[in-house]
Amino acid sequence: MSRLPALHAPTAPPGTTDRHSPLPLLAVCLGYFMVILDVTVVTVALPVIGTGLHAGVTGLQWVVDGYTLVFAGLLLFCGGLGDRLGGKTVFLGGLGVFTLASAGCALAPAVTVLVLARLVQGLGAALMVPSSLALLRSAYPDRTARARAFGVWGTVAGLAAGAGPVLGGLLVAGPGWRSVFFLNLPVGAAALLLSVRHVPRPAADRTRPGLDLPAQLAAAGSLAGLAGGCIEAGALGWAHPAVLGAFALCAAGLVAFVWLERRSPAPMLPPGLFRAPAFSASAVIGVLLNAGFYGLLFLAPLYFQRLHHYSALRTGFALLPAVGVVAVGSALAGRLTARTGPRLPMVVGLVVGAAGLFGWLPAGPATPYAVLVAPMAAAGFGTALTMPASTAAVMEAAPGARGGAAAAVFNAGRQIGSALGVALFGTLVAGGLVPGLHAAVVLGGTGFLLAAVLAARYIPRAGKPT
């Protein structure tokens, strides 16, 4: 009997998908949604968590920075792990770890246990984020489609950031702060299912040497010393032996990291990445951007709840001008970047964001809320306009075989910025909330302007080589 011809298109092999399908983007963005949501949703819940678990400002700083420190400290390692083992494998592992750690956060009986669970969440986030960018790069090979995918990725981050304060306020006012973490369980399960079925599996580079674990430990120790010193300085003073010891650990870890990387056959920071000025500038911009914006998000709930006596729910709505515009700015950034290249949205966004941070200088105990609406909106919109464009600049400047490492460097810089912003801004308010807030926004706004200068100088126009 002769074989009849097929009357339908062949189905894609398991683990692959059509390059125009939105399902890989949806799966990746769900995981990233949880990572970003847990920044803003926890920020709003911090005062209530502090009351429920009897934690002071220093303990609350560790709840935020414990997560971001592990996230930042392991991003380089996890980026290299994704390049070697395959982005999909590492991404799925990160999803599982993050989801289980969220359950641990929700069940924490004391602040120490909560901080430990947040450390594990940071590990899951570090596994997910660099792999997610590498997976999008593989799933959407066309440059324009890839820029739009990065824009959607940034938009999802904006939606998560925007939903976080209001959602956190609703959850804290209703079921309680523990539900903030329980929320991740159904989202994580959906992301796992979609990822297994629809995210393509790019080839892993198994010929590369093993990962440099000593250098990883040195980097993690350096970051922990830096953030720990900044956090504890608020309570102990900058000259306290423990604070000075933390900064000494930071310096020693940095020296050891550089020495080990130079001798390693498989460095976590491939030297070729930093030969592109656009890549190096974008990494620094990521640090400055997150330091200013997330430092402000840490202080704003304390300002509204402690000086103006807002409830958690009212605080969530009060922060809407800062986070509600993030989705709009991210979507606009994706379109502008696809048309003009990343430089224009980066420069404009950073200048607007700087104006927003400086706009907090009139804030005081008697300042009407309406005075802060425009500054909050400017800070959020400027940050959102900058971030997807910076992501595109980093990924375009990186060699194709180093996509995971490039994404890891960029996101490590961002998370280091977040940790430093929370640590420094929190320390500045130790001597008084209002003067500390004013000093913090001046510091953050100046960082935004410096980042705008870097973008104007080193990020190329559309069509020019990086």
Side-chain angles (χ1 to χ4, degrees):
M1 182 182 293
S2 62
R3 185 184 299 270
L4 294 175
L7 299 178
H8 58 275
T11 58
T16 66
T17 190
D18 179 76
R19 64 176 182 170
H20 300 296
S21 171
L23 293 177
L25 181 60
L26 175 61
V28 167
C29 286
L30 276 177
Y32 191 51
F33 179 88
M34 291 194 299
V35 171
I36 300 303
L37 183 71
D38 265 38
V39 176
T40 55
V41 77
V42 171
T43 297
V44 172
L46 282 175
V48 180
I49 292 174
T51 301
L53 298 182
H54 308 290
V57 173
T58 300
L60 297 180
Q61 285 176 280
W62 280 115
V63 170
V64 176
D65 272 358
Y67 173 72
T68 52
L69 275 176
V70 175
F71 191 179
L74 294 180
L75 271 170
L76 296 176
F77 177 81
C78 293
L81 194 67
D83 288 338
R84 289 165 174 83
L85 302 182
K88 183 171 181 178
T89 299
V90 174
F91 182 75
L92 290 174
L95 270 174
V97 169
F98 191 95
T99 303
L100 291 175
S102 297
C105 291
L107 299 172
V111 69
T112 303
V113 179
L114 177 59
V115 170
L116 290 174
R118 291 281 284 169
L119 297 179
V120 181
Q121 269 192 321
L123 168 61
L127 288 167
M128 275 193 285
V129 171
S131 299
S132 70
L133 286 173
L135 288 175
L136 289 182
R137 183 172 182 168
S138 175
Y140 302 100
D142 178 73
R143 186 178 183 274
T144 300
R146 186 166 61 246
R148 288 174 179 167
F150 289 149
V152 172
W153 188 78
T155 301
V156 168
L159 290 172
V166 176
L167 187 58
L170 289 170
L171 292 172
V172 170
W177 67 264
R178 297 181 188 276
S179 60
V180 165
F181 298 105
F182 276 130
L183 179 67
N184 289 332
L185 302 187
V187 177
L192 279 167
L193 179 62
L194 284 170
S195 298
V196 169
R197 292 178 61 86
H198 299 292
V199 171
R201 187 181 295 274
D205 185 2
R206 301 185 184 277
T207 63
R208 295 175 64 184
L211 294 165
D212 192 350
L213 292 177
Q216 170 60 60
L217 293 174
S222 180
L223 289 176
L226 178 60
C230 291
I231 290 174
E232 296 298 333
L236 302 177
W238 292 94
H240 192 277
V243 175
L244 296 177
F247 289 136
L249 172 63
C250 171
L254 180 60
V255 171
F257 176 75
V258 172
W259 183 78
L260 289 167
E261 284 287 276
R262 286 188 170 185
R263 297 171 59 90
S264 173
M268 291 188 295
L269 286 177
L273 287 178
F274 293 94
R275 295 192 185 113
F279 179 88
S280 299
S282 296
V284 174
I285 289 168
V287 175
L288 297 173
L289 185 70
N290 272 38
F293 184 65
Y294 286 100
L296 177 64
L297 282 186
F298 177 78
L299 291 186
L302 298 177
Y303 169 79
F304 286 126
Q305 294 188 35
R306 295 189 175 180
L307 288 186
H308 291 273
H309 308 292
Y310 284 11
S311 66
L313 180 59
R314 189 178 179 185
T315 299
F317 281 102
L319 292 175
L320 271 179
V323 294
V325 298
V326 171
V328 177
S330 298
L332 179 60
R335 293 184 179 182
L336 283 177
T337 301
R339 293 180 181 178
T340 70
R343 185 165 78 169
L344 177 63
M346 289 174 71
V347 172
V348 172
L350 288 163
V351 172
V352 171
L357 285 166
F358 288 128
W360 273 78
L361 285 173
T367 303
Y369 172 75
V371 173
L372 300 176
V373 171
M376 283 192 286
F381 183 79
T383 300
L385 195 62
T386 305
M387 187 50 61
S390 301
T391 302
V394 163
M395 299 307 288
E396 292 296 334
R402 295 292 183 267
V409 170
F410 178 62
N411 284 286
R414 288 181 56 199
Q415 297 309 315
I416 290 170
S418 297
L420 288 178
V422 171
L424 288 174
F425 285 22
T427 297
L428 287 172
V429 301
L433 186 55
V434 172
L437 174 63
H438 291 168
V441 296
V442 169
L443 183 64
T446 302
F448 268 52
L449 291 179
L450 175 59
V453 172
L454 291 175
R457 174 66 179 85
Y458 294 108
I459 304 301
R461 295 187 179 94
K464 290 194 174 183
T466 56

